Amino acid sequence: MTSAYIPFIIKLQYGFSPLLSNIIKAHVCYRRLNALTINGGLFLYFFPCPRICSYKLQLDARREGTSVPEQGMVIRGGAVVTAHGVKEADIWIAGGKIVRIAKDTLPKTTATTVFEEVDASGMYLLPGFVALPTQSLYKIKDGKTYIEVMRELVRSGCTSFVDVLRPEPWMSRPQVEYQQTRHFNSPLDYAWHVAIEPAQLQPRTVAQYSELGFSSFHVTVRSPEEISTINWETLLPLHTSKQTILHLHIQNDASVKKEQRDLIRQLWLDATRYWKVRTVIADPSAAFEPKQSDPFLHIFRLNAETTDRAVRYIYQRFYDSCQVASPLQEVRIDYRRRWCPPEMLLCLLVRLASTNVAKAIGLYPQKGSLTPGADADIVFLKKENWLTKYDLSTILNFSEMHLPASVMSNGKWMYRNAQFSSSIGMGRRIFDTKPNAYVI
């Protein structure tokens, strides 16, 4: 075996505070090392990253005048499902990315890549779904619980997720960064959003969080007066340069009456339209009233009560822009009268819960699509299982349905044949989000 796989062990000195030790472990985990504590001493041990080992093997091969082909994959025989249709095609994957989608008989081995062939006959191939949990996942402290939550997302077909950081006023920058270390163990790719109060929506605060890689800000409004305190004019240059997006949440309790909610929503729509600030609104009341919203600036996150209406709305205006999105776990569809073909319903599901969500949070086309250049996040669904093993006399509740037979993320198996792969820590934080790039 090559020396590139020999593990290294480093012993750190005693005397670290618990916070500093955890930060060290976090950076260690980020660099794909491992940490353990023995008799009070902090040890670091690691096997070099597979990419590093592969790179060393390539260097050794060059010195010897040979070459090491890259390992790829070709998925043959499947039906590729997109937001607008289904087509029979093969998917070629290299380096964790989709490099080709076509129905052909190209050789499995090239000068630079050896392709493993995967038979997907009788399967639908869907882009991975993007989860938008309502509760902050980074607050889960128990490791086993955290991994089980991640596996439940994978089992439902999600290959990436968004978590919302809710920093306390007393937290310094290192403490805010430390809060993010929980996801260093994530098997899924993830993006961070940050929640702030309306009074904090100021250029200085937005600039500070932008330096930490945040481009999406969740603002919870409790009264119409809070919107009037926002200085939109000073925020506009920063919004334009940093390409930020605002998510509006209206306080959901009895203290905010319906009249106040309607007024808050209307004031926010008017302000963001005037100042041309793109926003996601977690209140679908105006989602189906085009005259009240802007087709590019305003995106509506749907709840479980409105997803059925949204799917029918998209179906009736299939090639029109419809600025609605919903995570898969909140989709409920009344399909008792079979108002559209089953394959078309699958396309509508991909559009609402994968493609539109990825566009709304700035991950498209890296996520939410099966196109050349996109991440190889693929959900394998058996055709024989789609709408055949469920009681169609009830509403389809996708929070209780485990669709996929297998799930792949970045070209690696996460879940296959009802078995999870060892993928802890394989997830990456996605920094370069572009929430202002695409029309939904």
Side-chain angles (χ1 to χ4, degrees):
M1 180 179 291
T2 176
S3 60
Y5 291 92
I6 298 175
F8 294 84
I9 300 179
I10 303 173
K11 179 181 179 182
L12 302 182
Q13 299 297 323
Y14 294 89
F16 286 117
S17 66
L19 175 61
L20 184 56
S21 295
N22 285 330
I23 291 177
I24 291 173
K25 291 180 182 180
H27 285 285
V28 165
C29 182
Y30 178 74
R31 297 299 178 185
R32 298 201 179 279
L33 312 180
N34 296 292
L36 73 160
T37 303
I38 301 177
N39 296 330
L42 180 62
F43 288 76
L44 309 183
Y45 65 96
F46 65 95
F47 289 86
C49 175
R51 289 184 180 178
I52 298 175
C53 298
S54 175
Y55 180 67
K56 185 179 187 303
L57 290 175
Q58 291 177 14
L59 290 179
D60 293 341
R62 288 178 183 176
R63 294 191 189 101
E64 298 172 2
T66 60
S67 61
V68 178
E70 182 183 358
Q71 185 69 33
M73 183 182 298
V74 56
I75 303 172
R76 295 194 187 275
V80 178
V81 181
T82 68
H84 292 94
V86 180
K87 63 178 181 179
E88 299 287 336
D90 300 334
I91 300 179
W92 297 73
I93 300 170
K97 300 283 187 179
I98 297 174
V99 296
R100 178 180 173 84
I101 297 182
K103 191 70 175 177
D104 52 38
T105 56
L106 290 177
K108 294 187 293 182
T109 303
T110 65
T112 58
T113 308
V114 177
F115 288 93
E116 172 194 358
E117 188 165 314
V118 176
D119 184 13
S121 301
M123 295 268 192
Y124 290 118
L125 306 179
L126 288 65
F129 295 96
V130 183
L132 303 177
T134 55
Q135 302 295 327
S136 296
L137 300 183
Y138 74 94
K139 294 185 177 181
I140 301 175
K141 302 304 180 184
D142 181 67
K144 291 183 179 180
T145 303
Y146 178 84
I147 296 302
E148 184 55 38
V149 170
M150 291 292 126
R151 287 182 170 180
E152 185 63 25
L153 292 179
V154 172
R155 198 181 289 115
S156 66
C158 294
T159 56
S160 54
F161 67 94
V162 175
D163 205 2
V164 181
L165 181 67
R166 305 181 187 278
E168 300 293 338
W170 52 267
M171 289 183 179
S172 61
R173 177 168 177 165
Q175 290 165 328
V176 170
E177 293 176 338
Y178 173 68
Q179 297 298 314
Q180 304 173 51
T181 60
R182 165 55 66 186
H183 291 326
F184 289 165
N185 289 328
S186 171
L188 303 178
D189 290 352
Y190 59 95
W192 276 106
H193 292 183
V194 62
I196 60 177
E197 296 295 326
Q200 295 178 291
L201 198 56
Q202 301 174 359
R204 180 179 178 181
T205 304
V206 173
Q208 288 175 346
Y209 282 115
S210 296
E211 291 176 359
L212 296 175
F214 295 97
S215 59
S216 300
F217 297 84
H218 290 240
V219 183
T220 300
V221 178
R222 299 169 181 81
S223 67
E225 290 74 22
E226 289 184 320
I227 297 180
S228 61
T229 62
I230 300 174
N231 192 334
W232 297 96
E233 187 173 1
T234 59
L235 282 173
L236 186 60
L238 193 62
H239 168 77
T240 303
S241 61
K242 300 295 184 180
Q243 291 295 295
T244 59
I245 187 170
L246 302 179
H247 292 243
L248 171 66
H249 298 267
I250 303 176
Q251 184 74 15
N252 188 19
D253 56 35
S255 63
V256 182
K257 298 180 180 179
K258 182 180 183 304
E259 294 77 11
Q260 287 181 303
R261 296 180 64 88
D262 293 342
L263 181 57
I264 291 172
R265 184 183 64 252
Q266 192 58 51
L267 290 174
W268 186 270
L269 289 173
D270 293 342
T272 51
R273 181 190 293 111
Y274 181 82
W275 293 105
K276 298 188 182 304
V277 176
R278 202 173 199 192
T279 182
V280 176
I281 303 171
D283 185 337
S285 302
F288 309 103
E289 301 175 9
K291 294 183 180 180
Q292 292 191 22
S293 59
D294 184 277
F296 174 74
L297 297 176
H298 299 144
I299 304 169
F300 296 91
R301 174 175 172 171
L302 305 178
N303 53 30
E305 290 73 25
T306 54
T307 50
D308 178 70
R309 180 183 177 186
V311 170
R312 296 169 186 263
Y313 186 87
I314 296 173
Y315 180 61
Q316 295 169 358
R317 302 163 179 80
F318 195 71
Y319 293 103
D320 294 344
S321 173
C322 189
Q323 60 270 31
V324 295
S326 174
L328 181 66
Q329 289 75 13
E330 296 183 17
V331 176
R332 312 285 188 272
I333 299 178
D334 185 352
Y335 195 59
R336 287 174 289 188
R337 296 189 178 183
R338 290 184 174 265
W339 43 269
C340 74
E343 282 194 350
M344 182 57 66
L345 183 64
L346 195 58
C347 294
L348 295 171
L349 185 65
V350 167
R351 183 171 177 180
L352 181 67
S354 180
T355 303
N356 283 9
V357 173
K359 288 181 177 181
I361 61 180
L363 298 182
Y364 186 87
Q366 181 179 356
K367 306 291 185 182
S369 68
L370 294 180
T371 55
D375 288 346
D377 293 0
I378 304 174
V379 175
F380 295 71
L381 171 62
K382 291 183 179 180
K383 293 182 178 181
E384 62 186 30
N385 292 346
W386 175 237
L387 301 183
T388 59
K389 295 188 177 182
Y390 303 99
D391 185 1
L392 295 182
S393 63
T394 60
I395 295 176
L396 297 176
N397 183 351
F398 288 92
S399 66
E400 301 174 353
M401 298 170 61
H402 293 156
L403 293 177
S406 301
V407 178
M408 176 184 293
S409 178
N410 295 308
K412 297 181 177 62
W413 293 108
M414 307 284 292
Y415 180 71
R416 192 178 189 187
N417 300 326
Q419 296 292 327
F420 287 97
S421 302
S422 178
S423 55
I424 297 175
M426 288 178 55
R428 309 163 300 170
R429 179 182 175 183
I430 303 173
F431 283 93
D432 189 22
T433 60
K434 299 178 178 64
N436 290 275
Y438 292 93
V439 175
I440 292 182

